Amino acid sequence: SQQGEEDPQALSIQEGENATMNCSYKTSINNLQWYRQNSGRGLVHLILIRSNEREKHSGRLRVTLDTSKKSSSLLITASRAADTASYFCATVAAGGTSYGKLTFGQGTILTVHP
Amino acid sequence: DGGITQSPKYLFRKEGQNVTLSCEQNLNHDAMYWYRQDPGQGLRLIYYSQIVNDFQKGDIAEGYSVSREKKESFPLTVTSAQKNPTAFYLCASGTGGFVNQPQHFGDGTRLSIL
C-alpha cells in the first residue's frame, strides 16, 4: 500500500531555479527519507529526517518535516540539469515491528532545462 | 566497493514459466528487501528478510517466493501464478532493526513477458 501522496506529480523548471516537492503520509512515523531515481536505475538515498527533527540540510537539499500535518517537503536550490530525475519520499512506521520497512509515495518527476 | 548487485538487468518470461532474479550484497547488512515498481509508480514491498533463514511477506507477495540461505543473497522467484509480472524489480539492503538508517538499492531487473 502507498503511504501517501507526492505533489506535484511532475515539475519542470529552468537551471538555477529552486525546486520544491511535497509529500504527505498517513500514519505515525519513525523517520522519513527522500530518494532519487535516475531513469532505469536504482534508488539513491538523499536524506533522512527523524520524527523529532523539523529541518535538515545536505548541500543544496533542504528537508522539512511537520508531523502535526503529516507532511514533508524537499527543496533543491540552484537546480542543475543533472538534478533531472524522479524523487520519492518514503516512511518508516513508528513502532517496534517496522524493521526498517519503507513505504513509498508515488514520486515527483523533476525536469531541469539547461 | 560495497554495494548491491542485481542480475540479470533484463529478463523475459514465457507463459507458465518461473524465473529467478538474483540479488547479492557485500555491505554486511542483516536485512534485505524486494520491491516492485510499475511505470510512473512508487515502490511496493514484495518480501523482506531480517535474518538468514527468515523472511516475511510484504504488501504484494502473491505469485512470488524468496529464500535467504546466506546473509549475502536474497533471490526472488516470480512464479507462473503471478499473472502480471511485467515490472521493474528492485532489491535493497539495510540494517533492519536500526531503523534510522537508509536502505541501499541495486540497479534493478526489468522483467517482461514474451
Side-chain angles (χ1 to χ4, degrees), chain A residues 37-111:
Chain A
Q37 183 181 35
N38 285 51
S39 182
R41 302 296 300 274
L43 275 67
V44 174
H45 178 259
L46 296 176
I47 199 162
L48 181 153
I49 186 165
R50 301 184 185 198
S51 59
N52 61 353
E53 297 176 313
R54 292 296 168 257
E55 188 170 313
K56 208 160 181 183
H57 297 255
S58 177
R60 293 184 296 113
L61 306 180
R62 172 179 170 253
V63 168
T64 61
L65 178 64
D66 186 336
T67 53
S68 66
K69 295 181 179 178
K70 291 186 169 58
S71 68
S72 173
S73 68
L74 170 67
L75 169 67
I76 303 174
T77 60
S79 63
R80 307 165 181 167
D83 294 328
T84 295
S86 295
Y87 292 81
F88 294 92
C89 70
T91 55
V92 175
T97 59
S98 63
Y99 299 121
K101 289 185 296 178
L102 291 172
T103 303
F104 283 85
Q106 305 274 12
T108 293
I109 301 172
L110 174 65
T111 304

Side-chain angles (χ1 to χ4, degrees), chain A residues 1-2 30-31 33 35 37 40-45 48 50 88 92 97-102 104-107, chain B residues 9 33 35 37 40-45 48 50 59 88 90 96-97 99-103 105-108 110:
Chain A
S1 61
Q2 299 292 326
N30 188 295
N31 66 64
Q33 304 177 32
Y35 288 83
Q37 183 181 35
R41 302 296 300 274
L43 275 67
V44 174
H45 178 259
L48 181 153
R50 301 184 185 198
F88 294 92
V92 175
T97 59
S98 63
Y99 299 121
K101 289 185 296 178
L102 291 172
F104 283 85
Q106 305 274 12
Chain B
K9 190 171 179 65
Y33 310 84
Y35 296 92
Q37 185 177 29
Q41 301 292 315
L43 280 66
R44 292 182 291 168
L45 183 64
Y48 65 101
Q50 297 299 308
D59 299 317
F88 191 47
L90 288 158
V99 296
N100 287 315
Q101 294 293 326
Q103 289 183 16
F105 284 80
D107 262 347
R110 190 166 300 278

